[in-house]
């Protein structure tokens, strides 16, 4: 099983960090392929909790090589501070590989992200303010700065000047902000160059060889299917391909090399930021899911919007990612409800719809059609096998599996590594 992708099946925060860490001990490489430090992946090992933003969760497994692929946007200040934070906690980070082709997030990207959101006012996306969208926009506009540019001062200077020429006009004339001086940016970036140098590599070559040698490579997605720039709820999305195809473009490993695509699926639904969310709850059930599930953003500390499980979304995730398996997380959070609503279809302008509508207006009008599944009250956090679960919890999992279109191969019953029921092995 040389290559597998693990990604979010909903709007992010499904528990990708935990799932990646669980497999980390048995894989050779863990690769981030898109996104940047907008991600917040929580890993709980014993009594230690780690919040990773840019580094692949495999960094916590001593024998695993963590890789930041070409598709990631890298804020060098964040990367260095995340590395030193882990070093202070006794984690060896020396194996990290950083693609020379990854694009950099610079201070002007973060500034542009914040001023654009302010300018949009009530129409804002609710971004994490980490400069993600502006950095990807520069990449596509061919005025981005790459990691490799740090090692040629003259090229770096020319590129920063080219990028700022246009942005300074916008900052000054549209947003009424002071222009950003290119010399200051170049100086700041050059100061990171030597600290990053030991990690910089041709990661496409390294990963291509690893796959050919039968090494196990795990691609760890950031965000989730419905935040994907092409397949998500545009424009309320992130600026990268969080779906399975992103693993190929963001790493340089071709699609024929990928053996398995695992969708991480929360037993209910959450979303951070603006945008449509058919099963969102505004009542005490929503409050209870937020409280019991600890649904507060790891990156921005914002409360997550909460709602019931949406099988239309899960089916869509199966289709657009070609999912082979699901890892169902946070089943323990649903303990205590007498019955648990599950959205099985939408009603849109009086019609029942089984598939995610491609039209933005239709999705905004979608009302959930619920089926009510019997709940359970027994503590399930100690369950080790599927048979340890109460009958109604088993029924809930089976029903979700049937509606979602791929086998549920693992179930999370708590945040810790060991609080997992493994049904089919992933490796
Ligand atoms: P990610 O962005 O997909 O890695 O997810 P986050 O780390 O942002 O959010 C998931 C949260 O749920 C974290 O606090 C995890 O520790 C926690 N978590 C993951 N799996 C489970 C589970 O099965 N049960 C419970 N109770 N918490 C979980
Ligand atoms: P993980 O990897 C949840 C959301 C933001 C906003 C939108 C665009 O932890 O699942 P951006 O800063 O990316 O331009 O913001 O995407 N968003 C996330 N929501 N989990 C994440 O990452 C997210 N990363 C971005 O809240 O709505
Ligand atoms: Mg998260």
């Amino acid at each position: 099983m040389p290559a597998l992708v693990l990604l979010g099946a909903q709007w992010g925060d499904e528990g990708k960090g935990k799932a990646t860490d669980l497999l980390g001990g048995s894989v050779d490489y863990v690769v981030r392929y898109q996104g940047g430090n907008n991600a917040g992946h929580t890993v709980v090992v014993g009594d230690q909790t780690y919040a990773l933003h840019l580094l692949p969760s495999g960094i916590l497994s001593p024998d695993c090589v963590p890789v930041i692929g070409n598709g990631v946007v890298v804020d060098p200040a964040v990367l260095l501070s995340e590395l030193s934070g882990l070093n202070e906690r006794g984690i060896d980070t020396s194996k990290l590989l950083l693609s020379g082709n990854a694009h950099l997030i610079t201070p002007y990207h973060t500034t542009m992200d914040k001023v654009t959101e302010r300018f949009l006012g009530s129409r804002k996306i609710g971004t994490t303010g980490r400069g993600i969208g502006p950095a990807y926009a520069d990449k596509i506009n061919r005025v981005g700065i790459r990691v490799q540019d740090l090692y040629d001062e003259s090229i770096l200077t020319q590129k920063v000047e080219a990028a700022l020429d246009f942005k300074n006009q916008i900052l000054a004339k549209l947003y009424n902000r002071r222009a950003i001086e290119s010399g200051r940016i170049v100086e700041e970036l050059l100061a990171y160059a030597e600290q990053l140098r030991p990690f910089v590599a041709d990661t496409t070559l390294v990963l291509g060889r690893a796959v050919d040698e039968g090494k196990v490579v795990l691609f760890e997605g950031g965000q989730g299917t419905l935040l994907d720039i092409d397949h998500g709820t545009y424009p309320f999305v992130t600026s990268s391909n969080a779906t399975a195809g992103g693993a190929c473009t963001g790493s340089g490993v071709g699609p024929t090399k990928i053996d398995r695509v695992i969708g991480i699926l929360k037993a209910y639904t959450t979303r951070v930021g603006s945008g449509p969310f058919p099963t969102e709850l505004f009542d005490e059930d929503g409050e209870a899911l937020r409280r019991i599930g600890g649904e507060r953003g790891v990156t921005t500390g914002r409360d997550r919007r909460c709602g019931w499980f949406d099988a239309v979304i899960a089916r869509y995730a199966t289709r657009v990612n070609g999912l082979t398996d699901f890892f169902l997380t946070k089943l323990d959070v649903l303990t205590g409800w007498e019955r648990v609503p599950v959205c099985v279809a939408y009603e849109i302008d009086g019609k029942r719809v089984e598939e995610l509508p491609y039209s933005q207006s239709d999705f905004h009008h979608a009302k959930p059609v619920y089926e009510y599944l019997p709940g359970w009250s027994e503590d399930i956090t100690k369950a080790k096998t599927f048979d340890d679960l109460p009958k109604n919890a088993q029924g809930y999992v089976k029903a979700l599996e049937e509606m979602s279109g791929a086998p549920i191969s693992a179930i999370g019953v708590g945040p810790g590594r060991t609080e997992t029921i493994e049904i089919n092995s992933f490796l």
Side-chain angles (χ1 to χ4, degrees):
M1 188 60 62
L4 49 158
V5 181
L6 193 156
L7 52 78
Q10 294 149 321
W11 274 291
D13 303 325
E14 299 89 350
K16 298 177 291 292
K18 174 192 156 156
T20 304
D21 171 67
L22 185 71
L23 300 178
S26 335
V27 305
D28 300 302
Y29 295 82
V30 174
V31 188
R32 276 286 306 271
Y33 56 86
Q34 47 68 238
N37 59 307
N38 48 348
H41 295 182
T42 317
V43 179
V44 180
V45 188
D47 62 355
Q48 294 289 309
T49 299
Y50 301 89
L52 301 167
H53 297 285
L54 192 49
L55 291 166
S57 301
I59 198 128
L60 301 174
S61 302
D63 296 327
C64 173
V65 179
V67 180
I68 297 179
N70 57 277
V72 176
V73 282
V74 177
D75 185 326
V78 171
L79 177 57
L80 290 168
S81 104
E82 205 167 320
L83 287 170
S84 64
L86 288 177
N87 294 154
E88 277 161 26
R89 296 176 72 177
I91 307 285
D92 173 22
T93 57
S94 61
K95 290 203 185 82
L96 175 71
L97 299 179
L98 168 64
S99 167
N101 285 344
H103 280 247
L104 293 176
I105 299 179
T106 72
Y108 52 81
H109 294 117
T110 339
T111 301
M112 289 302 287
D113 194 356
K114 289 178 183 152
V115 293
T116 312
E117 281 283 275
R118 214 168 299 146
F119 191 72
L120 283 171
S122 62
R123 290 167 299 158
K124 70 172 192 250
I125 307 298
T127 71
T128 58
R130 300 300 193 262
I132 306 295
Y136 276 116
D138 275 6
K139 173 177 175 173
I140 299 297
N141 274 334
R142 293 159 295 186
V143 289
I145 314 291
R146 293 187 293 173
V147 168
Q148 59 180 286
D149 298 327
L150 296 174
Y151 304 101
D152 186 325
E153 186 172 344
S154 142
I155 285 183
L156 180 68
T157 307
Q158 287 173 41
K159 289 190 174 180
V160 171
E161 279 170 3
L164 274 175
D165 261 358
F166 179 69
K167 273 184 205 68
N168 275 335
Q169 300 282 334
I170 297 185
L171 280 173
K173 293 183 180 150
L174 185 63
Y175 296 122
N176 230 352
R177 303 274 296 218
R178 214 178 302 144
I180 296 171
E181 209 229 307
S182 64
R184 187 174 65 75
I185 300 288
V186 171
E187 203 178 304
E188 180 178 332
L189 291 177
L190 286 174
Y192 302 129
E194 288 317 306
Q195 294 177 74
L196 292 177
R197 197 191 280 276
F199 306 118
V200 180
D202 182 349
T203 52
T204 295
L205 180 63
V206 172
L207 292 172
R209 285 188 176 151
V211 169
D212 286 345
E213 285 165 14
K215 296 265 175 14
V216 184
V217 180
L218 173 65
F219 296 93
E220 176 185 9
Q223 294 75 55
T225 300
L226 291 178
L227 288 171
D228 181 282
I229 187 81
D230 284 282
H231 302 292
T233 48
Y234 191 91
F236 302 103
V237 292
T238 192
S239 298
S240 65
N241 284 118
T243 46
C248 297
T249 54
S251 70
V253 172
T256 54
K257 308 284 182 182
I258 309 276
D259 302 275
R260 214 149 163 187
V261 185
I262 304 157
I264 313 302
L265 187 67
K266 213 179 269 193
Y268 50 98
T269 314
T270 63
R271 164 160 217 179
V272 195
S274 321
F277 178 178
T279 63
E280 182 169 16
L281 293 166
F282 300 94
D283 58 7
E284 60 264 34
D285 280 334
E287 267 310 313
L289 287 174
R290 191 172 302 117
R291 191 183 63 251
I292 302 166
E295 297 297 353
R296 182 176 282 263
V298 183
T299 299
T300 56
R302 288 177 289 179
D303 273 353
R304 294 175 182 152
R305 300 157 63 191
C306 295
W308 298 123
F309 183 83
D310 186 333
V312 183
I313 285 175
R315 274 199 295 280
Y316 179 71
T318 303
R319 171 156 57 87
V320 297
N321 294 301
L323 295 182
T324 56
D325 306 78
F326 279 114
F327 188 139
L328 186 72
T329 60
K330 302 191 109 168
L331 185 65
D332 52 301
V333 175
L334 293 179
T335 300
W337 268 275
E338 209 169 302
R339 50 182 211 158
V340 189
V342 168
C343 168
V344 295
Y346 301 140
E347 191 192 297
I348 303 174
D349 301 330
K351 282 203 198 81
R352 185 181 165 109
V353 174
E354 307 276 342
E355 298 292 340
L356 200 90
Y358 74 87
S359 138
Q360 185 185 350
S361 323
D362 282 355
F363 195 55
H364 276 272
H365 293 165
K367 293 201 178 57
V369 176
Y370 284 119
E371 248 176 42
Y372 295 85
L373 303 179
W376 61 94
S377 55
E378 301 88 334
D379 175 19
I380 62 168
T381 56
K382 306 279 180 303
K384 293 281 169 245
T385 67
F386 188 70
D387 290 336
D388 292 341
L389 291 174
K391 281 281 161 289
N392 286 351
Q394 292 185 11
Y396 186 79
V397 173
K398 283 282 157 219
L400 262 46
E401 182 172 77
E402 211 160 284
M403 293 170 193
S404 305
I408 292 176
S409 294
I411 304 168
V413 290
R417 234 182 223 177
T418 53
E419 290 167 309
T420 307
I421 296 172
E422 293 186 71
I423 299 171
N424 307 311
S425 167
F426 288 116
L427 295 165

